[in-house]
Amino acid sequence: MRDKDEKLKVYEFLYNRLPFSDTEKQEFKAMQRMEKLEARFEIELAKIKTHNMKIHWHTEILVDSDYEIVNVLIVTDYCYYLFVLHDLEGEYYINPFNILCHENHEAALDLNRSGRIYEMFREQLIDEGKFQRPIILKYVMMNSGFKMNGRQSELFLAAKNLPYYLKAIEHSAVIKKKNHHPASTKF
């Protein structure tokens, strides 16, 4: 179902054949981690019926001069679901500036960017006609060692809840609305 990222394939081919710079080594390791997270997500996705969905893997978008990755985009007739996968472990909290911070107060994720990711997709995923599908963005914390302290956010989805969330998407994908004409997906 999912194809491996082309850049990762190149890195894997060249590894131990050419010297990598420190930056290239870091990028290669990050891409390998992302590949593992996407493979784990795909295992959960394989447990549901996806024939009423379109699934797009590993989309990079430019937001405020920095690239953001949306690992999985699931499109149903009624909704767009954006999933950003993370492997954070430990205790985290959201500070007053809407930044996810580790318990040692190190910034891990700027949640303000989620609004900009949403806006980028909203501009690109315009449905034809009168029906505009909602766009739902979730940060999926694939590590069971991730824990939130303090105020919670609906942006986060724990790995243990992922199967139930995907099952709910499966059920909502088969609902037929009266006089609803599904729009085509444009990218």
Side-chain angles (χ1 to χ4, degrees):
M1 185 166 17
R2 176 180 55 91
D3 293 326
K4 189 181 277 194
D5 185 84
E6 292 298 318
K7 194 172 184 179
L8 178 58
K9 288 179 187 178
V10 171
Y11 270 135
E12 287 174 340
F13 177 77
L14 295 175
Y15 192 71
N16 288 332
R17 289 183 173 90
L18 291 175
F20 280 20
S21 69
D22 289 341
T23 304
E24 289 169 330
K25 287 177 187 174
Q26 287 176 346
E27 184 177 24
F28 180 44
K29 286 181 182 179
M31 292 178 85
Q32 286 178 315
R33 282 192 307 270
M34 204 52 65
E35 173 67 20
K36 287 179 184 175
L37 290 176
E38 288 179 3
R40 286 178 42 209
F41 190 95
E42 186 176 31
I43 289 169
E44 294 300 327
L45 200 55
K47 295 176 184 176
I48 65 169
K49 295 175 186 147
T50 59
H51 58 274
N52 290 328
M53 304 172 197
K54 291 181 185 172
I55 301 166
H56 304 276
W57 289 91
H58 203 83
T59 304
E60 284 188 53
I61 58 170
L62 187 64
V63 178
D64 300 335
S65 74
D66 286 327
Y67 281 99
E68 291 286 341
I69 295 174
V70 174
N71 299 94
V72 186
L73 166 63
I74 297 177
V75 181
T76 69
D77 283 346
Y78 307 105
C79 198
Y80 296 105
Y81 299 92
L82 309 174
F83 295 97
V84 179
L85 308 179
H86 286 280
D87 193 28
L88 301 176
E89 185 176 23
E91 294 187 18
Y92 289 81
Y93 67 95
I94 300 172
N95 74 11
F97 303 104
N98 211 25
I99 308 287
L100 181 70
C101 297
H102 193 266
E103 63 186 341
N104 65 5
H105 310 296
E106 229 177 82
L109 185 61
D110 183 356
L111 299 178
N112 297 305
R113 294 182 64 78
S114 61
R116 295 195 275 292
I117 293 171
Y118 170 85
E119 288 301 321
M120 290 286 295
F121 274 93
R122 191 177 65 81
E123 291 171 9
Q124 294 175 15
L125 299 174
I126 302 297
D127 293 323
E128 296 175 9
K130 296 179 182 179
F131 179 73
Q132 174 60 47
R133 289 176 269 191
I135 300 169
I136 297 173
L137 172 67
K138 292 288 185 187
Y139 292 102
V140 184
M141 298 302 159
M142 300 296 286
N143 192 320
S144 59
F146 176 82
K147 184 177 181 220
M148 281 288 290
N149 291 328
R151 110 179 131 106
Q152 302 294 311
S153 173
E154 290 189 20
L155 287 172
F156 295 104
L157 180 62
K160 68 179 181 179
N161 296 330
L162 181 60
Y164 306 108
Y165 197 82
L166 292 175
K167 197 68 167 165
I169 293 172
E170 174 192 10
H171 287 300
S172 69
V174 297
I175 298 172
K176 300 290 182 201
K177 283 190 179 177
K178 199 174 193 177
N179 300 323
H180 169 65
H181 303 287
S184 63
T185 305
K186 295 181 182 179
F187 290 17

